[in-house]
Amino acid sequence: MTDTHPVLELRNVNKSFGPIDVLHDISLKVKAGEVLCLLGDNGAGKSTLIKTLAGVHKPTTGEIWMDGGRVSFDRPKDAADRGIATVHQFGGTFPLMTIGRSFFVGVEPTKGWGPFKIFDRKKANAVAVKAVQSFGITRIDDGDRLIGGLSGGERQSLAIARAVHFGARVLILDEPTAALGVKQASHVLRIVLEAKKRGIAVIFITHQVTHAMAVGDHFAVLIRGALAANFMRGEKSREEITDLMAGGEALADLDAYMESHDGHAPDLVS
Amino acid sequence: MATATSPKPADGPAQAGKPGVFQALGGLARRPEAGSFIGMIVVFVFFAIFGGAQFIGAAGAASWLNVAAEVGLVALPVGLLMIAGELDLSIGSVIPAASLTVAIISGYYGLPEILGVAAALAFGLAVGFVNGVLVLRTRVPSLIVTIGTMFAVMGLTLGLAVLLTGATSTALVPTPFWKAIFGQFVGGMFEITIFWWILSVAILAYVLHISPWGNWIFALGGDRESARNAGIPTDKVTIGLFMTSGFSAAFLGVCQVMIYQSAQVVGGQSFIFNSIMCVVIGGVLLTGGFGSIVGIVFGTITFAIVNQGIYFTNFDPNLGSVIIGALLLVAVLMNDTFRALALSTITKKKK
């Protein structure tokens, strides 16, 4: 397939809001069928990075490339048209709408003629249920159920299935497991793997290292808007990654120093 | 890889096992209008018992149907707005303003009715458009924006009426044709407004529940940001809904001036709260995203029955307001319960 070109690539992207620099010189790539885990503490610039990828913000400088060609997103719709889909923490869905209706929000299937279009509820429900079930969530079998009645993991799964159904090639998952219990989170992780298997490039944003290590092929750690590390699966241990996120290698050094000095912290000048 | 797709889900009714009556009942109970339907039946039975034969007869039906039709005409679009997460209070002054527009143009100046009616309806659409644009541009809650436009329209109506006619009320004697389509009493007691209301119910039920636009309205009320991201033209939908509500209010104003053959600057304020009450009793969620046209119709009928039914009983008519107030509270509580039911996962206890 497109093994030569990454599906999505950032080249030296900077983003500042007025005098405040939020992203510094970010270069990242993600290939089809690969999961890129974006790790970072709160305020590290993850959200800004996602929004830049999704076309909400334009990079101040730097380039975005897709399939080996340079692209530029003026609106979120431009990114969406190119197959970049973002799924937010709570699934970005409507709690009081039915599964079928919310699945097709904005792209309602219709039947009928002329101005008398009819929302095709049966079709919407059937397609939505089928799409979710193909991701292994077999508990969802009735498209007339309300979204609000689903569990957090099911909502996430539904949102992911929706994005994939509508042709997403790059799936940006914004903290999909943050609010979930252990079992639910593992559901979502399985769906991430299923998406990967279908050749979708997944960008998985999280601060839970365990979840990242379960699915990631490629990891990037973001600290204060800059890439602090960029490595492949198996190159770093869980402890190293956690330390990186918590404040860089310095924290690991601190630990090591204190261990060998009876718990005393080093002098500030050293 | 072919096995990756799980077995085809059983469609709809084929869901093996026992769909049965209970599941059907359970399904009904989860509809947004379930609570309001029960409320309507209870209220009707109550007044049927205490109001006697007269209430059940044609005269009784006419009395509450007339009230229901008038308030229902504005309650429907207000309900749609509420489902989309907005409110419109300006209807309270658009109704008399539309009445006066017709009365001044066609009554005071004696121009053909069609001009007066067209001007009134155009005025309603214009107020709706202004409401929509102001809400979108300023991002001030529509409650506040429409209170503002309500007072503006009221002041404008008063000022212009006095300036043009020197009085705050104007008479109109409509020609038989206009009287027949907007102001006649069918069978001597049923306002023709009832039929316009039914038409309005049909159109808006189509829009909300059958056409794809209904989905947009629900999505708008559920989460405006997500709706926009999903590609819904949220601004157009919002302005369209405000214009529908302005138009409906003006339409009611036109009907009223044809019925009562005169128009006054004041009057119409009661429709603000009454329409909101009908909508809320009808199971629409105040914060948007949930509701149904049938529910609003039930809510409207419930409101009208209480409003009029009290006169058929031996109770002090002032008690009517107490009942309506209590009803509103009960309705909201009940709707919360039914909504919780709707949200409760319909976990059929299989495995």
Side-chain angles (χ1 to χ4, degrees):
Chain A
M1 267 170 36
T2 54
D3 43 3
T4 45
H5 297 295
V7 180
L8 182 66
E9 183 179 3
L10 293 182
R11 294 190 183 172
N12 310 103
V13 165
N14 285 282
K15 175 73 196 172
S16 36
F17 295 104
I20 303 156
D21 294 332
V22 185
L23 297 177
H24 308 282
D25 203 29
I26 306 278
S27 295
L28 275 179
K29 42 180 99 163
V30 56
K31 292 194 189 124
E34 187 184 69
V35 178
L36 164 66
C37 291
L38 200 57
L39 298 149
D41 210 347
N42 296 338
K46 286 177 297 181
S47 312
T48 310
L49 185 56
I50 300 166
K51 285 183 178 163
T52 309
L53 290 170
V56 179
H57 300 316
K58 260 190 113 143
T60 312
T61 62
E63 300 169 355
I64 302 176
W65 288 61
M66 281 189 85
D67 307 313
R70 193 176 166 190
V71 292
S72 148
F73 305 136
D74 293 319
R75 283 165 295 149
K77 195 169 178 307
D78 295 345
D81 286 347
R82 286 191 164 267
I84 298 181
T86 314
V87 173
H88 295 284
Q89 190 173 342
F90 299 105
T93 43
F94 311 96
L96 291 166
M97 283 173 85
T98 66
I99 291 170
R101 276 181 175 269
S102 76
F103 194 86
F104 282 98
V105 154
V107 281
E108 291 79 6
T110 54
K111 54 186 179 186
W113 33 270
F116 300 102
K117 284 207 208 84
I118 288 178
F119 175 75
D120 194 342
R121 190 181 122 254
K122 265 217 180 94
K123 188 175 161 200
N125 287 354
V127 172
V129 168
K130 192 161 177 243
V132 193
Q133 294 206 335
S134 79
F135 271 91
I137 304 289
T138 43
R139 234 171 62 85
I140 296 181
D141 55 5
D142 178 4
D144 276 328
R145 272 170 62 182
L146 297 184
I147 298 285
L150 303 179
S151 71
E154 286 170 339
R155 280 202 216 187
Q156 281 290 335
S157 310
L158 182 66
I160 295 172
R162 177 177 195 271
V164 173
H165 178 82
F166 289 107
R169 299 180 54 228
V170 181
L171 196 54
I172 303 174
L173 305 177
D174 185 5
E175 305 258 10
T177 56
L180 302 182
V182 179
K183 198 168 160 217
Q184 304 247 329
S186 74
H187 270 300
V188 173
L189 293 178
R190 241 185 296 158
I191 284 173
V192 171
L193 289 174
E194 172 67 28
K196 170 188 159 166
K197 203 164 79 186
R198 296 191 190 186
I200 292 163
V202 181
I203 300 177
F204 182 77
I205 290 101
T206 185
H207 54 242
Q208 274 151 310
V209 181
T210 328
H211 294 164
M213 295 197 66
V215 296
D217 297 304
H218 180 176
F219 303 81
V221 179
L222 208 58
I223 294 177
R224 269 178 259 116
L227 272 188
N230 193 351
F231 52 94
M232 302 306 284
R233 184 184 190 88
E235 286 180 9
K236 281 199 195 315
S237 71
R238 177 180 308 177
E239 287 73 24
E240 284 174 298
I241 301 175
T242 315
D243 287 342
L244 264 172
M245 284 171 63
E249 314 254 19
L251 206 62
D253 292 347
L254 180 66
D255 260 358
Y257 182 94
M258 284 169 67
E259 228 161 76
S260 57
H261 288 78
D262 306 327
H264 293 294
D267 294 334
L268 282 175
V269 278
S270 70
Chain B
M1 282 310 269
T3 52
T5 48
S6 64
K8 192 173 167 286
D11 337 85
Q15 274 172 9
K18 52 260 145 172
V21 188
F22 287 107
Q23 200 174 329
L25 273 180
L28 279 181
R30 265 176 241 110
R31 312 232 359 125
E33 55 273 2
S36 50
F37 180 72
I38 295 172
M40 182 178 76
I41 298 298
V42 167
V43 164
F44 185 84
V45 169
F46 177 86
F47 284 103
I49 292 170
F50 289 97
Q54 232 192 340
F55 175 75
I56 306 175
S63 93
W64 60 260
L65 269 175
N66 289 345
V67 169
E70 289 193 7
V71 70
L73 266 177
V74 284
L76 287 168
V78 165
L80 283 196
L81 270 171
M82 216 184 271
I83 291 173
E86 309 286 351
L87 268 176
D88 186 0
L89 304 193
S90 67
I91 50 159
S93 58
V94 171
I95 296 167
S99 290
L100 260 180
T101 307
V102 178
I104 290 176
I105 293 179
S106 308
Y108 186 77
Y109 289 112
L111 295 168
E113 274 91 345
I114 186 148
L115 285 180
V117 171
L121 296 181
F123 174 75
L125 285 172
V127 173
F129 182 76
V130 170
N131 279 334
V133 169
L134 281 180
V135 167
L136 291 173
R137 286 283 159 80
T138 62
R139 296 182 183 273
V140 171
S142 49
L143 173 77
I144 306 298
V145 169
T146 56
I147 287 181
T149 47
M150 179 191 79
F151 277 102
V153 169
M154 203 179 0
L156 216 65
T157 314
L158 182 60
L160 280 177
V162 172
L163 188 74
L164 294 175
T165 67
T168 56
S169 79
T170 306
L172 167 78
V173 183
T175 51
F177 170 74
W178 292 93
K179 179 79 183 166
I181 60 170
F182 287 127
Q184 70 164 309
F185 285 86
V186 179
M189 52 176 117
F190 293 97
E191 283 179 16
I192 190 148
T193 326
I194 296 168
F195 297 95
W196 289 113
W197 179 46
I198 293 171
L199 181 71
S200 171
V201 167
I203 294 174
L204 295 182
Y206 164 74
V207 168
L208 188 65
H209 297 299
I210 300 177
S211 83
W213 305 303
N215 223 21
W216 300 2
I217 295 173
F218 282 115
L220 206 59
D223 182 348
R224 174 171 283 269
E225 204 57 41
S226 299
R228 183 179 300 129
N229 288 343
I232 293 172
T234 49
D235 290 3
K236 276 187 199 157
V237 175
T238 308
I239 291 179
L241 286 174
F242 274 110
M243 288 176 77
T244 310
S245 125
F247 179 85
S248 302
F251 191 91
L252 176 61
V254 170
C255 290
Q256 285 201 320
V257 74
M258 299 292 181
I259 293 169
Y260 304 118
Q261 311 211 341
S262 89
Q264 284 148 23
V265 172
V266 286
Q269 306 296 322
S270 64
F271 280 100
I272 302 174
F273 283 121
N274 291 354
S275 64
I276 292 176
M277 257 188 290
C278 293
V279 171
V280 172
I281 293 175
V284 174
L285 184 58
L286 264 170
T287 44
F290 197 66
S292 74
I293 293 289
V294 190
I296 298 171
V297 170
F298 291 157
T300 308
I301 292 175
T302 308
F303 170 83
I305 288 177
V306 176
N307 195 293
Q308 294 300 303
I310 199 82
Y311 298 110
F312 291 86
T313 65
N314 300 322
F315 306 141
D316 180 354
N318 293 325
L319 277 178
S321 301
V322 179
I323 296 181
I324 289 177
L327 199 64
L328 183 71
L329 210 63
V330 173
V332 173
L333 288 174
M334 228 157 79
N335 289 336
D336 283 350
T337 312
F338 278 101
R339 195 161 45 248
L341 243 170
L343 282 175
S344 69
T345 343
I346 296 97
T347 31
K348 304 163 214 145
K349 303 262 156 55
K350 60 165 178 203
K351 145 56 204 307

